[in-house]
Amino acid sequence: MRIGVIQASSQATKNKMLYNAVTKYAPKDSEVINFGCTLEEKENYSYIEISILVGMLLANRMVDFIVTGCSSGQGMMLACNSMPGVICGYAPTPKDAYLFAQINNGNAISLPLGEEYTWSGIDNLERTVEALFSEPFGQGYPKSEADRKIKDSEQLKEIRKSGQISMQELLNKLDASLVNKLKNKMDF
């Protein structure tokens, strides 16, 4: 599995912590790629711009899964879910991350990175990432409902695919200066 880590510039101070947690708990033989945003980058990127990059990374199969976030985590989740082919969950807790991976089997997760990151905040982030990757995705939950949950997840993906344009069509509709800014991002 190729896992990308990227978050909005507003949370650039959390990039290393997020990357380290994903690297620590990602499934064995996974490749974790840090796409930023980092403090070293001169350009700032909003959660909306990063969500477009998330869509591009997944559509071009540069990665299989994205771990992302913004201050609340909710804006990034909503923006990512606006991108063709992206199914992004919101995971403020380990239980939310686990249930998203098992029931929804999406390809992106958004974390609330603006929370208080004292010791307990860092511990919660690590436990949340650990729970996300604790088992292979898409096994269904609870186990007694696994078959139905798996079918529901696949049906949702088909409905989204039928109801959305392709990533390339979306990029063609966006302002060219926005797309060029994103294509020139340091780690992209």
Side-chain angles (χ1 to χ4, degrees):
M1 177 186 270
R2 289 174 55 105
I3 304 166
V5 173
I6 187 169
Q7 85 296 318
S9 291
S10 65
Q11 297 302 313
T13 59
K14 311 288 184 2
N15 176 265
K16 186 171 277 195
M17 177 178 62
L18 183 59
Y19 175 76
N20 289 342
V22 173
T23 301
K24 183 176 181 179
Y25 295 109
K28 287 185 179 8
D29 301 324
S30 292
E31 179 183 3
V32 180
I33 305 165
N34 191 353
F35 292 101
C37 295
T38 64
L39 294 172
E40 292 77 32
E41 291 182 68
K42 293 181 181 12
E43 190 76 56
N44 284 320
Y45 297 91
S46 71
Y47 72 94
I48 295 168
E49 292 168 330
I50 295 303
S51 73
I52 297 168
L53 279 175
V54 167
M56 293 167 70
L57 289 166
L58 290 166
N60 291 316
R61 298 195 166 121
M62 295 174 74
V63 294
D64 304 303
F65 192 83
I66 295 279
V67 178
T68 189
C70 63
S71 297
S72 71
Q74 293 183 41
M76 184 67 80
M77 181 266 305
L78 291 168
C80 284
N81 280 324
S82 298
M83 296 301 117
V86 179
I87 296 180
C88 183
Y90 170 64
T93 69
K95 185 174 185 177
D96 292 310
Y98 178 79
L99 292 174
F100 173 74
Q102 295 310 309
I103 297 171
N104 305 112
N105 192 19
N107 53 10
I109 195 87
S110 182
L111 305 170
L113 299 174
E115 291 187 353
E116 295 178 38
Y117 275 95
T118 59
W119 174 84
S120 63
I122 294 168
D123 187 55
N124 183 62
L125 175 79
E126 285 218 359
R127 297 292 72 79
T128 300
V129 173
E130 180 181 29
L132 176 69
F133 295 118
S134 64
E135 295 179 21
F137 287 12
Q139 296 184 84
Y141 186 89
K143 299 300 180 199
S144 61
E145 299 285 322
D147 289 340
R148 183 179 63 79
K149 297 288 188 173
I150 292 167
K151 287 177 187 171
D152 288 350
S153 174
E154 292 306 312
Q155 185 178 35
L156 173 63
K157 290 175 184 177
E158 286 302 313
I159 290 169
R160 282 184 54 84
K161 189 186 301 182
S162 297
Q164 292 183 328
I165 61 175
S166 73
M167 191 67 200
Q168 189 57 54
E169 288 173 293
L170 176 63
L171 292 174
N172 291 339
K173 290 182 176 195
L174 296 176
D175 183 274
S177 64
L178 171 62
V179 175
N180 288 335
K181 176 184 177 183
L182 297 173
K183 286 182 179 178
N184 291 324
K185 186 178 177 318
M186 185 172 85
D187 297 310
F188 185 66

